[in-house]
Amino acid sequence: MSDEHDTRERTAQEQRAAERRTDGRRAKERSTSKVRAAIRDELADDRSRAETIEMQVPVIELSHVYLSFDQPILEDVSLVAKRGETICIVGESGTGKSTTLKLILRLLVPERGTVSINGEDITELNFQEALDSRQGMGMVFQGAALFDSMSVFENIAYPLREHTDMSEEEIASRVREKLEFVDLDPDRVMDQLPSELSGGMRKRVGIARGMANNPEIMLYDEPTSGLDPLTTGTITRLILKLQRELGVTSVVVSHDIRSVFKMATNVAVLHDRRISFFGTPEEMSASDDQYIRNFLGGA
Amino acid sequence: MSAILPDYRPGRLSPLSERISAAIKKRLATVRDYFSLAGRALGFVFTRPFYAQDWVQQMDEIGVQSLGIVLLTGFFTGMVLALQSSVQLQTFGATMYIGRLVSASMIRELGPVLAGLMVAGRVGSGIAAQLGSMRVTEQIDALNTLGTDPIKKLVTPRVLAALVMLPVLTIINDFVGILGGNLISTTLVGIPTSLYWRTVWEQIASDGFTLGVIPNDFVQGIVKPFVFGGVIAISACFFGLNTTGGTEGVGQSTTRTVVLSSILILVLDYFLTQVLLSIFAP
């Protein structure tokens, strides 16, 4: 009996001791995790502070841009896009919307005014520097502008082959990843030629090619023109997905007011060679400017 | 203002002369752009990245695929040369010199010029149409956007390929032409093959040799197609890259390419002949 009691007592003591040890450990853990949390918080603070600073430097900035060929195209155009924002440029046909994209890409150089990317004025760059600066940008052309002598795979792999030292396997996996991102089945479309694809698919391949290099800026020239309403919705969602998941800064030239209102952080209305309005979609729909009212009504 | 000039305004005094001077300026700018394209295309030959694959592909398209028409035109040209000269030579009783006439005309003139004109029609128009449609479908802009110089990627390989392939095509053209002459002179004129080829060789050897081994006729016959190849490729790329106005513009670029390169081939042929004759004067 006493033996039994002893044994039980010992076990209880051991248990208590064990409990004390665990408690100690827990307490220790608690304090370390507190420290870690504090560090984490502080780091997060730092990061968010850094991010807010970064947010303040415009990724794309056009200021007082003048451009003319035989006649004036743009007069005193200013535009700002901060990190992660989507700017939509709307306006009638032939008002210089696509030209604005070409200025950002430095395919054109303004006569006066500056175009800055990440704070650097790109109007002063020479030809080679301009080619380099474009590598941080992805452009989706109106007609997709896929190289029709190359397969879908080669089209998307093109910027990777041109500017990276990626191995064939890395290129192949990157191409697959991008095709999957734009909701295309890589095995089905990869070996097809652009001429064998539908308009919507071509647009999506165009987007995949534009983002192959993981650029921080995406430019879209009428991404939804000539597409049916369902495909238009898909492309709009895709642009939104790119912005939300990858945080890219986007400039979209579009006629399609409905998708513009879905995507835009800010809308720029180009009218009479000038930006007649720049603000959020809400501000735009609340505006009582006659031209904007007509524009929205017409759409 | 006087009644004679009711609408007199200083700016509108001489619209015609203004228009003429504007047109001249535009033409001069075009010429300048043409040469600057040529300069840049050739300047890129020695700088990275080399688009070797494009070069080989273009040599196939410009050279190998033009072989058919070059063989056909060369053969018939040789035949008709033999036929015509046999009639002329018969009046002097000198039909045995058919070989001399055929080889001299083929190697010096008809080989290079005909190969040039055929390639201008077949390849020049093709290049202009391809680059033109790439321009109007924004593929040229896409290349630029993806950080590639379109001149380096598209123009340099085509110019290089034409510079290499046109002399090759010309040599083949010459040979096939002489062969065609052989066929006519043996079958219709009654000159034995051995005599025909002996006179061909006599003609080639009569103008002397460069460096002791290369017949001077050959050197003349190779310099020309080299120049013509460059002219065709650069004209085609120039008009192709400067295409405006959609599909209609592509058609215009194609026409302009064929017209300009054909004219340049014939004009340059004259001047090259003068220069080469003065260098290789016997």
Side-chain angles (χ1 to χ4, degrees):
Chain A
M1 267 305 268
S2 76
D3 269 350
E4 216 182 291
H5 179 256
D6 273 2
T7 334
R8 228 181 284 153
E9 182 108 16
R10 226 179 296 138
T11 336
Q13 269 174 359
E14 271 170 15
Q15 256 176 11
R16 274 196 295 276
E19 267 167 23
R20 269 201 304 278
R21 279 201 297 274
T22 353
D23 275 357
R25 208 162 49 226
R26 276 199 198 127
K28 215 190 243 168
E29 268 176 17
R30 232 175 283 138
S31 67
T32 26
S33 69
K34 241 186 224 164
V35 173
R36 267 196 218 126
I39 293 172
R40 211 166 36 229
D41 286 349
E42 209 165 299
L43 277 177
D45 268 0
D46 272 2
R47 211 176 303 140
S48 72
R49 226 173 289 142
E51 270 166 16
T52 37
I53 292 168
E54 226 173 51
M55 289 281 282
Q56 282 157 4
V57 176
V59 178
I60 303 168
E61 186 175 20
L62 271 70
S63 80
H64 308 292
V65 166
Y66 285 80
L67 182 77
S68 67
F69 294 127
D70 288 335
Q71 51 203 22
I73 309 279
L74 295 174
E75 281 176 18
D76 199 18
V77 165
S78 298
L79 201 70
V80 173
K82 292 184 195 131
R83 192 165 303 277
E85 285 186 343
T86 300
I87 307 296
C88 291
I89 305 177
V90 298
E92 292 163 74
S93 306
T95 43
K97 303 192 295 293
S98 306
T99 311
T100 314
L101 291 187
K102 288 187 176 160
L103 284 168
I104 297 172
L105 283 164
R106 205 196 168 279
L107 292 174
L108 294 171
V109 184
E111 272 148 52
R112 269 182 288 156
T114 57
V115 180
S116 307
I117 303 296
N118 288 322
E120 190 199 358
D121 183 6
I122 59 165
T123 51
E124 302 293 326
L125 301 183
N126 66 31
F127 190 77
Q128 189 57 44
E129 290 167 338
L131 284 180
D132 294 340
S133 96
R134 283 178 209 137
Q135 286 174 45
M137 303 182 210
M139 168 85 181
V140 180
F141 288 89
Q142 196 171 351
L146 301 176
F147 303 126
D148 37 32
S149 56
M150 299 180 193
S151 68
V152 166
F153 178 88
E154 286 303 323
N155 261 289
I156 302 172
Y158 187 85
L160 306 173
R161 289 198 204 286
E162 279 285 288
H163 303 296
T164 65
D165 298 325
M166 287 166 83
S167 68
E168 276 307 304
E169 291 105 69
E170 285 171 313
I171 290 178
S173 77
R174 178 73 71 86
V175 172
R176 280 183 168 276
E177 178 199 320
K178 297 304 173 194
L179 278 172
E180 277 160 11
F181 189 92
V182 297
D183 293 327
L184 286 173
D185 178 8
D187 295 309
R188 214 164 65 85
V189 296
M190 228 151 57
D191 297 324
Q192 287 186 300
L193 287 173
S195 55
E196 297 168 310
L197 303 175
S198 72
M201 281 163 99
R202 268 206 291 275
K203 279 270 161 72
R204 281 193 255 177
V205 175
I207 294 176
R209 183 179 68 182
M211 59 186 282
N213 252 343
N214 295 332
E216 54 169 359
I217 297 171
M218 284 292 283
L219 308 170
Y220 305 85
D221 192 1
E222 313 243 357
T224 57
S225 76
L227 298 178
D228 63 88
L230 285 178
T231 319
T232 300
T234 317
I235 299 287
T236 311
R237 274 194 297 281
L238 210 58
I239 296 174
L240 276 171
K241 188 171 151 193
L242 225 88
Q243 181 207 3
R244 281 184 194 146
E245 290 182 16
L246 309 175
V248 292
T249 311
S250 321
V251 179
V252 185
V253 161
S254 184
H255 282 302
D256 185 5
I257 284 294
R258 262 180 59 189
S259 53
V260 163
F261 272 50
K262 263 187 228 160
M263 312 184 268
T265 320
N266 281 309
V267 185
V269 179
L270 209 52
H271 174 52
D272 250 355
R273 304 185 290 275
R274 290 161 193 277
I275 296 216
S276 63
F277 171 86
F278 188 82
T280 63
E282 292 76 31
E283 286 166 356
M284 187 175 174
S285 44
S287 162
D288 32 278
D289 180 278
Q290 194 50 47
Y291 180 75
I292 291 173
R293 294 251 56 90
N294 287 346
F295 197 82
L296 293 178
Chain B
M1 286 303 129
S2 72
I4 309 162
L5 288 170
D7 267 324
Y8 174 80
R9 274 182 223 145
R12 284 192 183 176
L13 180 63
S14 48
L16 186 66
S17 66
E18 265 171 35
R19 254 184 287 156
I20 290 172
S21 86
I24 291 172
K25 268 185 202 156
K26 211 173 157 189
R27 284 286 150 86
L28 285 177
T30 310
V31 173
R32 186 198 60 207
D33 291 348
Y34 184 94
F35 282 105
S36 107
L37 177 72
R40 285 183 61 197
L42 293 171
F44 282 135
V45 171
F46 303 107
T47 56
R48 283 174 184 283
F50 307 113
Y51 294 101
Q53 209 187 332
D54 294 279
W55 183 37
V56 173
Q57 195 192 338
Q58 288 307 319
M59 293 221 287
D60 177 52
E61 273 180 29
I62 295 173
V64 180
Q65 294 183 30
S66 299
L67 210 55
I69 53 164
V70 164
L71 286 176
L72 206 65
T73 49
F75 197 68
F76 276 94
T77 310
M79 277 163 57
V80 81
L81 267 178
L83 201 59
Q84 287 282 13
S85 45
S86 76
V87 176
Q88 295 300 317
L89 290 172
Q90 215 147 31
T91 52
F92 306 108
T95 41
M96 61 177 284
Y97 290 118
I98 285 184
R100 286 191 84 130
L101 251 163
V102 171
S103 71
S105 331
M106 277 312 292
I107 295 174
R108 286 190 193 165
E109 283 302 330
L110 290 172
V113 171
L114 281 179
L117 291 176
M118 295 317 284
V119 171
R122 204 197 83 89
V123 175
S125 60
I127 293 176
Q130 194 195 2
L131 298 197
S133 34
M134 284 183 81
R135 162 63 77 199
V136 298
T137 56
E138 296 184 303
Q139 289 178 54
I140 304 282
D141 285 337
L143 273 179
N144 254 322
T145 310
L146 294 169
T148 302
D149 188 332
I151 293 179
K152 191 167 194 179
K153 168 88 178 161
L154 300 172
V155 181
T156 302
R158 282 168 174 76
V159 172
L160 263 185
L163 288 178
V164 174
M165 292 319 281
L166 212 64
V168 174
L169 287 173
T170 301
I171 292 172
I172 295 169
N173 199 15
D174 294 348
F175 180 72
V176 172
I178 295 170
L179 217 58
N182 184 11
L183 179 74
I184 294 304
S185 58
T186 45
T187 53
L188 295 185
V189 191
I191 308 261
T193 303
S194 59
L195 178 63
Y196 177 82
W197 283 99
R198 207 170 69 227
T199 53
V200 167
W201 177 247
E202 272 170 22
Q203 169 59 35
I204 293 171
S206 70
D207 281 342
F209 294 86
T210 301
L211 304 171
V213 272
I214 312 160
N216 281 344
D217 269 6
F218 259 37
V219 178
Q220 294 189 48
I222 295 298
V223 171
K224 285 180 182 176
F226 188 74
V227 175
F228 298 163
V231 165
I232 295 167
I234 290 166
S235 306
C237 292
F238 178 75
F239 287 120
L241 287 180
N242 288 308
T243 301
T244 49
T247 42
E248 205 186 320
V250 176
Q252 282 174 358
S253 298
T254 314
T255 312
R256 282 184 188 146
T257 300
V258 177
V259 170
L260 181 76
S261 39
S262 304
I263 291 173
L264 282 180
I265 284 171
L266 294 170
V267 172
L268 286 175
D269 182 49
Y270 172 76
F271 290 107
L272 280 172
T273 306
Q274 256 197 348
V275 172
L276 289 167
L277 280 180
S278 70
I279 294 173
F280 294 107

